[in-house]
Amino acid sequence: MAEHPWFEIEDLEEDDLEGDGAEEDDLRVTPIEQDFLDLLKKHTEAWATPDVGSGIDRLDDEETLLVCLSLRDPVWRLGLVDFGVHLRGNRVRGDRLHSRLYSLPDEPTGWALDTTGTNDELARATADWMRAMLRRPLVLYAWVHDGRAYAARFLFADDDETLCQLYEEKSAPPGQTAALRAAGQVRGKGWIQTRGLPAPDFCQHVRGDQDAAVLPAGARPAEQRGAIRGVWYQ
């Protein structure tokens, strides 16, 4: 048995999803759902690690079971992304999850899993999908001005998909913020999109298959990193 198995109902209070208050005693699973969880633990026990959080919960419809994994940055202790499956009957659907609601996207992304079958088939498909997701190269980019990092971006470097980013206007090069806004590199409540920046100054491999990463030319690999201030957003 793995030293740090995932999907343990008795560990739910400790791994409570974003502090939503779900208590161990509040979660009820059917025998069929418990069988799925037992099979999923069996299929993942050889590679379950403590640096990846797991969670189980029931969605508001009371008929769908949520089973998810959470990637965190070990240095800055930052939640990066949640992905997982919704189990209902003989069907599992998986994708990147909403950071607070844990809902699936309205339109499936390139991450999506959608399959039906027996409990063992569903557990195997879910485990294979989760393992493939964990193998994706997770990388940190950083941009520096006057010796201070003013922007950073965590991404999957096999398809350049942003997971989490930060842009600190006060430390950015003069005129850059206005230029980015003029170019439409803004989303939501004025969040500057780091995708609009030039090539990063530094990059650091965080986890996953490093050989699968496609990195921008000129970015210097960083062995260590210091602090960075600002608000992280997707």
Side-chain angles (χ1 to χ4, degrees), residues 70-232:
S70 301
L71 295 185
R72 303 161 181 154
D73 174 58
V75 178
W76 290 331
R77 300 183 180 275
L78 177 70
L80 300 179
V81 67
D82 302 300
F83 62 93
V85 299
H86 290 184
L87 170 70
R88 182 167 183 171
N90 68 338
R91 182 186 185 189
V92 290
R93 293 186 299 146
D95 213 321
R96 182 173 180 168
L97 300 171
H98 189 283
S99 61
R100 295 192 179 278
L101 303 177
Y102 295 91
S103 57
L104 298 169
D106 293 335
E107 295 292 332
T109 72
W111 303 27
L113 168 72
D114 191 343
T115 188
T116 59
T118 66
N119 252 10
D120 187 57
E121 290 169 338
L122 296 179
R124 286 181 183 274
T126 299
D128 289 345
W129 176 74
M130 287 179 166
R131 190 171 193 182
M133 291 295 297
L134 292 172
R135 284 176 170 171
R136 297 182 66 185
L138 176 57
V139 173
L140 169 67
Y141 291 166
W143 289 262
V144 176
H145 175 65
D146 282 346
R148 180 188 295 275
Y150 67 90
R153 176 184 173 213
F154 288 94
L155 69 149
F156 280 136
D158 53 354
D159 68 355
D160 198 41
E161 181 169 2
T162 300
L163 301 182
C164 191
Q165 59 188 321
L166 177 151
Y167 183 86
E168 215 280 313
E169 297 183 25
K170 294 180 180 179
S171 301
Q176 185 185 78
T177 303
L180 290 170
R181 288 198 173 107
Q185 296 292 339
V186 182
R187 187 177 299 171
K189 299 180 179 180
W191 302 124
I192 299 293
Q193 299 300 294
T194 56
R195 188 182 294 274
L197 295 174
D201 297 294
F202 295 98
C203 64
Q204 185 179 71
H205 177 257
V206 179
R207 63 169 298 124
D209 182 3
Q210 190 169 3
D211 292 337
V214 180
L215 302 175
R220 289 171 286 174
E223 295 294 331
Q224 298 180 339
R225 49 177 138 134
I228 186 170
R229 61 188 182 188
V231 178
W232 290 91

Side-chain angles (χ1 to χ4, degrees), residues 4-18 37 40-41 44 48-57 66-72 81-84 102 130 134:
H4 301 279
W6 291 329
F7 316 123
E8 295 279 1
I9 291 180
E10 57 265 32
D11 291 339
L12 184 62
E13 184 174 357
E14 179 181 350
D15 290 331
D16 184 21
L17 301 180
E18 291 295 323
L37 293 173
L40 185 58
K41 284 189 287 185
T44 60
T49 57
D51 63 314
V52 177
S54 71
I56 309 166
D57 207 349
L66 163 71
V67 183
C68 76
L69 295 179
S70 301
L71 295 185
R72 303 161 181 154
V81 67
D82 302 300
F83 62 93
Y102 295 91
M130 287 179 166
L134 292 172

